[in-house]
Amino acid sequence: RIKKEELSVLVAQAFINDHLLPMLDDATLASYHTARDKDGKWKVSKTTAWSWMHLCGARYMEAKKGYYSDKHEDWLTVRYRDKFVGVGPLAPRAAERASV
């Protein structure tokens, strides 16, 4: 198995050449834009592998990185945290804290 993030034309080409083509007979392979390499094994090119991927629904997309924001620097969060921790302009004065 391969993660979809790691799927590429080269990975597909290797899978096709190493796993799919050996299962097919010569007559079928001759009709699917395949050719024999110098060792006599049937192979597909990168272009053919890309075409087959496209026919199967694979599409090129830029990998987008997602992120999570907990708003830890939001002004309301900072204001609450400063007041809670006792620092910053909203913190109670030392005298006020001593009387509590």
Side-chain angles (χ1 to χ4, degrees):
R1 286 199 85 129
I2 190 162
K3 295 178 186 176
K4 65 182 177 181
E5 296 85 19
E6 298 170 354
L7 182 61
S8 69
V9 174
L10 293 175
V11 170
Q13 180 188 22
F15 179 79
I16 292 167
N17 289 335
D18 298 339
H19 299 283
L20 295 182
L21 297 184
M23 294 189 294
L24 301 174
D25 61 272
D26 287 351
T28 303
L29 292 169
S31 67
Y32 280 108
H33 302 288
T34 59
R36 292 184 187 268
D37 66 2
K38 62 184 176 191
D39 298 326
K41 295 180 183 177
W42 288 99
K43 299 288 181 183
V44 296
S45 66
K46 285 193 304 188
T47 304
T48 301
W50 179 87
S51 296
W52 290 5
M53 288 176 69
H54 190 75
L55 288 171
C56 290
R59 298 292 182 264
Y60 174 79
M61 296 177 164
E62 260 186 57
K64 296 180 181 179
K65 293 184 178 182
Y67 71 94
Y68 172 77
S69 175
D70 63 356
K71 300 182 101 184
H72 70 280
E73 291 298 328
D74 185 60
W75 71 273
L76 282 173
T77 306
V78 171
R79 185 173 145 185
Y80 172 79
R81 182 176 58 228
D82 287 350
K83 185 176 179 183
F84 181 81
V85 173
V87 296
L90 299 175
R93 305 274 185 264
E96 294 172 7
R97 281 184 287 195
S99 64
V100 176

